[in-house]
Amino acid sequence: MSIVSQDYEEYQSAGRIWGLVPQERIRKIKFDRPSRAIIDRYLAIEDLTTTVSDVLDSLGIIGTVPASYLKPLSTGHRVVGPAVTIRNLVERKTPTQGYVDKDFIRMSTRDIYYLAEPGDVLVTDTGGNLDVSNMGGQSCTVAQTRGLAGSIVNGAVRDANTIRKLDYPVWSAGITPLTGKFRIEAIEMNAPVQVWNIRVEPGDLIVADDSGICCVPFEHIEYVIDQVEEITANEAHMADLIVKDVPLDELRPLFRKRYDG
């Protein structure tokens, strides 16, 4: 029996398998996650994604999506947490025919919510499709109840007013009234996905705020926050000198250190 099958049986016994997505489409159930202490260090940073993005640049990692492409449904949220993932594809059959044939609904976010741990961030990839919804108000209610920190949607969502009232953090490529039922199908869970131009693996750290989202590969999570904290401290010192209107000769070395490495 494979490790995923063993984990599946364990979660089924614990009442954590919703069952809409076939077991063979779930690539991982258990995987390493960063500690709460690490996540809290990220959350303590004011200009979060901007500084994380700079460190990812220094590592040669494409890991940032601007809010120009994936916008927060409500501003003012800051989210940090390990990724759980879904990849969807559009159905071949028309939705009308799906209703007529009484097909089984093959889209599902609920399966992933019950496989996830509190503090996880759902990352859903539907290829940037803006026509149909990946999730709505009821789905986000389940996510919030299960303790997820937020959702990143490479596609569209619906029930925007309800989601805003829930105060559940969502970043999406668009908003639509069209349901995803009979229109999209969950192909894989907890496998690599693409969000705009970045790759996200289960367990990677998702960092999101009003400026956009960043994905920090799991193996770089601690190094990135170490660098972010150092940069933030240096920036605070430089800001203090600027406010004090010190001579430029004092500012130039700090500027060079920040941008020239």
Side-chain angles (χ1 to χ4, degrees):
M1 182 183 293
S2 69
I3 293 175
V4 172
S5 295
Q6 292 175 11
D7 293 343
Y8 190 92
E9 287 191 1
E10 178 187 331
Y11 277 52
Q12 195 167 43
S13 297
R16 293 181 61 176
I17 297 295
W18 189 273
L20 293 176
V21 175
Q23 178 186 339
E24 60 269 18
R25 295 189 179 185
I26 301 172
R27 304 306 179 199
K28 289 183 180 180
I29 293 178
K30 294 181 179 180
F31 48 84
D32 291 336
R33 290 168 166 86
S35 70
R36 184 69 229 184
I38 291 286
I39 290 171
D40 287 342
R41 287 171 64 190
Y42 275 89
L43 286 169
I45 305 300
E46 185 65 30
D47 294 320
L48 187 53
T49 57
T50 52
T51 315
V52 170
S53 177
D54 288 349
V55 178
L56 292 176
D57 277 349
S58 74
L59 289 169
I61 294 170
I62 301 170
T64 301
V65 180
S68 309
Y69 303 122
L70 261 69
K71 296 177 174 62
L73 205 58
S74 298
T75 59
H77 288 296
R78 301 165 76 253
V79 163
V80 178
V84 290
T85 67
I86 299 177
R87 183 170 67 88
N88 298 314
L89 289 177
V90 294
E91 294 272 19
R92 283 179 165 170
K93 189 185 291 187
T94 67
T96 303
Q97 194 62 50
Y99 277 111
V100 169
D101 294 343
K102 302 186 186 306
D103 285 348
F104 186 74
I105 295 170
R106 290 181 290 208
M107 66 169 291
S108 178
T109 51
R110 300 194 183 195
D111 286 76
I112 201 75
Y113 296 148
Y114 285 86
L115 295 177
E117 301 298 335
D120 285 352
V121 177
L122 173 59
V123 181
T124 300
D125 175 20
T126 312
N129 185 303
L130 301 181
D131 294 332
V132 302
S133 171
N134 289 245
M135 65 184 68
Q138 191 173 86
S139 175
C140 289
T141 298
V142 179
Q144 191 174 62
T145 301
R146 294 292 302 164
L148 273 77
S151 295
I152 310 298
V153 181
N154 189 30
V157 300
R158 69 179 195 161
D159 303 332
N161 289 342
T162 298
I163 297 171
R164 290 186 181 110
K165 286 180 182 177
L166 287 171
D167 201 32
Y168 178 74
V170 173
W171 284 254
S172 72
I175 302 172
T176 178
L178 282 174
T179 178
K181 296 172 185 175
F182 305 116
R183 289 187 170 95
I184 60 174
E185 177 179 0
I187 298 298
E188 282 188 311
M189 287 191 170
N190 282 339
V193 295
Q194 183 166 322
V195 178
W196 199 255
N197 65 334
I198 69 172
R199 175 172 173 155
V200 179
E201 301 263 1
D204 287 348
L205 192 68
I206 300 299
V207 177
D209 60 17
D210 287 346
S211 296
I213 70 166
C214 294
C215 174
V216 182
F218 184 83
E219 63 272 21
H220 294 298
I221 290 173
E222 192 161 357
Y223 173 82
V224 169
I225 189 56
D226 287 344
Q227 295 301 303
V228 165
E229 287 172 340
E230 182 178 343
I231 290 169
T232 300
N234 290 338
E235 290 279 281
H237 177 56
M238 188 169 181
D240 182 58
L241 294 178
I242 290 169
V243 170
K244 291 177 179 176
D245 198 24
V246 301
L248 291 180
D249 286 345
E250 291 186 42
L251 292 176
R252 286 193 186 98
L254 295 174
F255 182 85
R256 292 192 185 99
K257 180 180 179 182
R258 174 72 172 88
Y259 292 102
D260 296 340

